[in-house]
Amino acid sequence: MDNQEKQSKEQQILAAAEQEFLTRGYDGARTTSIAQAAGVTHAMLHYYFRTKEQLFERIVDEKFETMSHSMFAIMGDPSLPIVERIKGGIEAHFDFVAQNPLLPRFVINEIISRPERYNVLYKRVGAIIDNVYRGLQSEIDRSAERGEIERVDIKMLFISIMSLNIFTFLAYPFMEPLMGELMANRERFLAERKAENIETILRRIKKQ
């Protein structure tokens, strides 16, 4: 088996594992089901990933790396004005969750049912988040001193961003039947919701 074929098999396994974990949770996920969905033998799955834990951590790594590169790369870009960086971060986070709508519920369920998993999740993004926090807070403070924006605690701002964006997808399955025409077209609704979330957050920091 050449290197390209190995990479292809590995990606098939990862895609199948992601779906299994997100729909069944860590405890409910079965490596036999993952192997079957990936079109490989159970022995081959264990050749690539020796344990379910190793497979889980690889998926967590990839997901949070993707989010970090999209959201935090924009927010940490010193070449952009601070308001544009925050706006770009909100958009990138919303788009990431839109592409991974089952992920927030999965993460919340895992942390509630197995609190030790929080350490696994935090290790992946903790250092990146801390660096972005410090850099953004300094720039926000300087901009506020110049009278360009309102002073705000960046950690509170992050909580607001995540709350607005994530709740959209957590609540969607339950709210859709109640909202009628508003949510009938999912793509249009998500575009409108993203614009609303951006406006809500930026209104907090813009000078009135």
Side-chain angles (χ1 to χ4, degrees), residues 1 9 13-14 22 31 39 50 59 77 93 96 104 120 125 146 157 173 178 183 205:
M1 185 183 298
K9 288 291 183 187
I13 292 169
L14 287 170
L22 292 182
T31 53
R50 268 187 281 176
I59 290 169
D77 184 353
H93 181 255
F96 171 79
V120 175
V125 294
R146 293 192 295 268
L157 200 67
L178 302 175
M183 300 176 78
I205 64 172

Side-chain angles (χ1 to χ4, degrees), residues 71-72 75 133 136 154-162:
M71 181 181 183
F72 299 134
M75 297 190 90
Y133 278 159
L136 276 178
I154 189 62
K155 291 185 178 181
M156 292 297 287
L157 200 67
F158 264 66
I159 291 171
S160 296
I161 292 169
M162 288 187 288

Side-chain angles (χ1 to χ4, degrees), residues 28 41 43 53-54 59 68 105-106 127 143 146-147 170 180 195:
T41 65
E53 179 78 17
Q54 187 182 64
I59 290 169
S68 299
R105 184 182 65 184
F106 170 77
S143 293
R146 293 192 295 268
L170 287 177

Side-chain angles (χ1 to χ4, degrees), residues 14-61:
L14 287 170
E18 179 182 328
Q19 188 65 22
E20 181 79 1
F21 282 128
L22 292 182
T23 54
R24 297 179 181 273
Y26 180 85
D27 290 334
R30 297 289 177 264
T31 53
T32 50
S33 299
I34 294 170
Q36 184 176 19
V40 301
T41 65
H42 199 239
M44 183 173 284
L45 183 147
H46 283 290
Y47 167 77
Y48 285 96
F49 302 96
R50 268 187 281 176
T51 65
K52 185 168 79 168
E53 179 78 17
Q54 187 182 64
L55 191 52
F56 170 80
E57 291 192 5
R58 172 67 179 275
I59 290 169
V60 169
D61 279 344

